[in-house]
Amino acid sequence: MGWTDERVESLKKLWQDGLSASQIAKQLGGVTRNAVIGKVHRLGLSGRAAPSKPARPTFKAPRPARPAAAPAAPRRVAEQTVPVAAAPSSSPVRYVEEAPGTATVLTLGAHMCKWPIGDPSSDSFTFCGRRQDEGPYCVEHARIAYQPAQTKKKSGANELARSLRRYI
């Protein structure tokens, strides 16, 4: 259907009344929303009497409260005594250290050893969980993870001759 003078006048009136392009297309019939937008631009129609957006409420509905975090599983604790050499009374100082293998993915914190214990596909899979100061592992597991580089044997004349024979 083409744009007759009557349809163009209806378009201008509806546009000035603040209807959206979709609403105008429905009322005119036989044209699409894009056709209405194109005709409005070609006609040079600008301002509208009212915005085409539906009125929104001025207040925001309060968000629902977040569910409280489930309490962490109780941790097994092992007490150890360490004598303090600098203290004149030489009374032992007690500190609490978490037993290895008690941390899960959900309870693993920033300063806990992340050494895996067990098979990841089993339900009993845990992490070490002991306190660590540097790196991802506690002192004990860092010794296992980071082994010093092996020093090479000093190769003598016999070793050099053996190496060369492989290539000859």
Side-chain angles (χ1 to χ4, degrees):
M1 212 173 216
W3 288 102
T4 62
D5 291 337
E6 183 182 310
R7 288 170 66 87
V8 171
E9 290 305 316
S10 296
L11 169 66
K12 287 179 182 179
K13 181 184 177 309
L14 294 171
W15 186 258
Q16 290 301 321
D17 289 343
L19 271 67
S20 69
S22 298
Q23 293 167 333
I24 295 170
K26 284 181 187 174
Q27 284 198 7
L28 291 176
V31 292
T32 63
R33 171 185 164 273
N34 286 339
V36 170
I37 292 170
K39 190 65 175 177
V40 166
H41 285 290
R42 284 191 300 276
L43 292 172
L45 301 177
S46 56
R48 294 155 94 74
S52 62
K53 294 181 183 176
R56 292 188 174 177
T58 56
F59 69 94
K60 275 190 162 184
R63 286 184 159 183
R66 284 186 163 185
R75 296 180 179 173
R76 292 180 284 159
V77 178
E79 278 193 19
Q80 296 182 0
T81 58
V82 178
V84 179
S89 65
S90 71
S91 62
V93 175
R94 294 184 166 250
Y95 69 94
V96 176
E97 185 179 276
E98 191 165 332
T102 58
T104 65
V105 172
L106 299 175
T107 61
L108 199 60
H111 295 287
M112 295 173 79
C113 177
K114 291 155 185 77
W115 186 266
I117 297 175
D119 182 15
S121 62
S122 73
D123 291 339
S124 61
F125 178 71
T126 59
F127 293 91
C128 172
R130 283 188 262 179
R131 176 127 179 105
Q132 52 87 359
D133 295 321
E134 292 181 17
Y137 307 123
C138 63
V139 175
E140 179 184 332
H141 288 125
R143 283 188 198 126
I144 298 169
Y146 307 114
Q147 302 225 344
Q150 303 266 335
T151 57
K152 288 189 173 183
K153 297 182 212 174
K154 291 185 180 179
S155 57
N158 290 338
E159 184 65 31
L160 181 61
R162 188 178 304 132
S163 298
L164 290 174
R165 273 188 234 137
R166 284 186 235 167
Y167 297 106
I168 297 176

